[in-house]
Amino acid sequence: MESISETVWDVLISGTGLQQSLLALALSRSGKKVLHVDKNCFYGGPEAAFSLQEAEEWVKAVKNGKVAESPIQNLSDHSSFSLFSNVSITSAPQPEQGYGSTSTTDSTKLASSRAYCLSLSPQLIYSRSALLPILVSSKIFRQLEFQAVGSWWVYNLSQVAPAEDPSSVVDPSPDPGRAYGAERQEPEERPPKRRRGELKKVPNGREDIFTDSTTDLRSKRSLMKFLRFVADYENQPDVWEPQASIPFPEFLARRFNFPTPLQIPLLALAMTPNDPVETTTGFALPRIARHLRSIGVFGPGFGAIIPKWGGEAEISQVACRAGAVGGGVYMLGNNVERVNRKIGYEANTTVRGGGEHCEGLIEVQLGSGDKIKTKWIVGTEYDLPAQNAMSGFAREFTSARSISIVSSSLPSLFPVIAEGAPPAAGAIVVFPPESLTARIEEVPAGGFPPVYVIVHSSSTGECPDGQCVLYASVSAESGYGYSLLDQAIESLLESFDSDPSPEILYNMKYTQISTSLSPDKMELDLQTSAFMSNSPENVLLFPTPSLDLVFDDTILECVKTFWRKITGKDENEDEDSGDFMVFEDREAFETDVNNDE
């Protein structure tokens, strides 16, 4: 068997994020020799999922900026930058031996480390997403399990609680040191009561609108008029295109006479990362249409799903396993150290595949010391050495995020979706900008963005029964961003009338950046190599993972473009006749599936 240094590879792929993993699978099943490496010792890269112990080691590695003496290694030593910063973990006191409560029924304490699977990328996947047909045609869906995202909720502040009547205050317990009739010492001044909020369910369609007792008939008619419009908005360009660049709330007010209370639920469905005044009509309409058109595809009442056992990290790992069955070679804990030089073809060596620029091989030195020869290199700025990560992407998109484990299953967030629907395992809570600004002294430029909390129940396999995981996110820097996240989580838990009150058992915060374009600026022409500008010849660069909370189908177009370049497929061939990610069953793969079960 040839060593990796003796083999001439068609492609070296660095990083096991979702886009790299799907590309490796597609190429391995297209007859290409694929060497797939990752500087980390875990799958998923920035989309990984961790146990509590793994998360702790990951945080240490990010803080130290060097190899950690643990299963989490080689985090960012050879990257031109780090995607993560300002990381921290706070948790309830643990036994001296660390995480490991042996009880599986005591939800008030953290369980063992491996009872948790916390995702760095808890994205929703709409049922109309182009990803799902690919998972089916490639047959890897058989090793995946998806669950329904049920209700969307909007947090609304209630009015300030009325002050107590002094005459109604009961005298405290008798003070034996005070004689009858003596002057009573006034109690210390009580702090003012905080405004307590409530959660309002966002209607999913006609039935929800007309059964909502909190909305008047006129508003219901306006909402129905908007739903009919958005269902066919592409065929009504005269209604919205002249106003595509104006703020979406302004469009709703002008065209549909929507007051602010009716605008807020629609902004929630758009999952906009920006302040409402910075959310354009052209951005919001297709996202709301995507939500509504996805409802009912896989069952009544819901339109989005989440992968079980860690979100997109699970899809990446399954794709890598399938890629290995297809002939790909995988090496974790090994990075691209240096791209040395371009060399000509060696005597008696045949390199398969096309590509307009590939007239020779590239010599690459790996972190293990091995020198390999390959025709193509694929990765992101995060996965390749600084001298080869020159894509020119602007690094201006930042998200403050937190992961919280809570001592309650918060069952009221997971009502029955609809008759005949599966139980919901996910819920979305949206905090509009005006609901969380009370403690922020300085208003940032551009106003306050909304905060989103994606709630995962124990059915996702990410926590034990009786607990849930809260994934909070806001498009902001760590400073006031973390303050907004803390307010959102605290306000959410205070909105429940339960005894005992839900408590935070664990909280991890981190700031993540993305070199991809923001969700409202993703108008890229893939045929002009927009994803490869300024990069060295034969080095193809993916954008880093999007900060969008909904899976973005744009990355699949990028994967397909790279697959065509490396395989030499005609860019203009009929889409329907292509064989991208369309595989026949293989006996080995079937055996692998059965063994996993």
Side-chain angles (χ1 to χ4, degrees), residues 232-348:
D232 190 44
Y233 81 97
E234 295 97 336
N235 294 322
Q236 304 176 60
D238 56 312
V239 175
W240 66 276
E241 282 189 353
Q243 303 177 71
S245 60
I246 70 170
F248 185 54
E250 185 178 339
F251 170 76
L252 292 175
R254 286 183 186 179
R255 188 72 192 187
F256 297 94
N257 297 316
F258 275 16
T260 299
L262 287 186
Q263 298 169 9
I264 292 174
L266 297 177
L267 286 163
L269 295 182
M271 299 287 282
T272 173
N274 303 319
D275 184 279
V277 298
E278 295 185 340
T279 300
T280 65
T281 301
F283 171 71
L285 283 179
R287 292 169 74 91
I288 296 173
R290 173 186 62 186
H291 176 92
L292 297 173
R293 292 169 182 173
S294 296
I295 295 173
V297 173
F298 296 133
F302 73 97
I305 56 177
I306 46 179
K308 193 173 181 178
W309 309 114
E312 291 179 11
E314 182 69 3
I315 301 178
S316 296
Q317 187 162 350
V318 169
C320 289
R321 283 157 50 188
V325 172
V329 175
Y330 287 78
M331 300 179 67
L332 296 182
N334 206 348
N335 62 287
V336 177
E337 181 80 28
R338 185 166 56 253
V339 177
N340 290 333
R341 58 193 175 92
K342 192 170 181 180
I343 56 180
Y345 288 125
E346 297 182 354
N348 303 320

Side-chain angles (χ1 to χ4, degrees), residues 268-455:
L269 295 182
M271 299 287 282
T272 173
N274 303 319
D275 184 279
V277 298
E278 295 185 340
T279 300
T280 65
T281 301
F283 171 71
L285 283 179
R287 292 169 74 91
I288 296 173
R290 173 186 62 186
H291 176 92
L292 297 173
R293 292 169 182 173
S294 296
I295 295 173
V297 173
F298 296 133
F302 73 97
I305 56 177
I306 46 179
K308 193 173 181 178
W309 309 114
E312 291 179 11
E314 182 69 3
I315 301 178
S316 296
Q317 187 162 350
V318 169
C320 289
R321 283 157 50 188
V325 172
V329 175
Y330 287 78
M331 300 179 67
L332 296 182
N334 206 348
N335 62 287
V336 177
E337 181 80 28
R338 185 166 56 253
V339 177
N340 290 333
R341 58 193 175 92
K342 192 170 181 180
I343 56 180
Y345 288 125
E346 297 182 354
N348 303 320
T349 298
T350 301
V351 180
R352 296 186 300 272
E356 52 189 304
H357 300 299
C358 292
E359 299 175 352
L361 300 173
I362 307 170
E363 183 180 81
V364 179
Q365 181 171 326
L366 302 179
S368 60
D370 294 297
K371 291 183 179 180
I372 63 109
K373 294 178 286 292
T374 182
K375 190 173 184 180
W376 294 92
I377 301 174
V378 181
T380 69
E381 287 185 304
Y382 175 75
D383 301 296
L384 295 175
Q387 67 268 27
N388 300 104
M390 301 288 292
S391 72
F393 291 119
R395 301 171 191 168
E396 57 180 301
F397 305 107
T398 304
S399 180
R401 298 188 165 185
S402 72
I403 304 174
S404 302
I405 300 170
V406 176
S407 64
S408 168
S409 60
L410 304 182
S412 61
L413 291 179
F414 303 95
V416 175
I417 300 174
E419 185 178 354
I428 312 298
V429 182
V430 184
F431 291 80
E434 66 273 9
S435 66
L436 295 173
T437 58
R439 302 182 204 170
I440 307 296
E441 296 180 358
E442 184 177 348
V443 179
F448 286 100
V451 175
Y452 293 89
V453 181
I454 302 178
V455 186

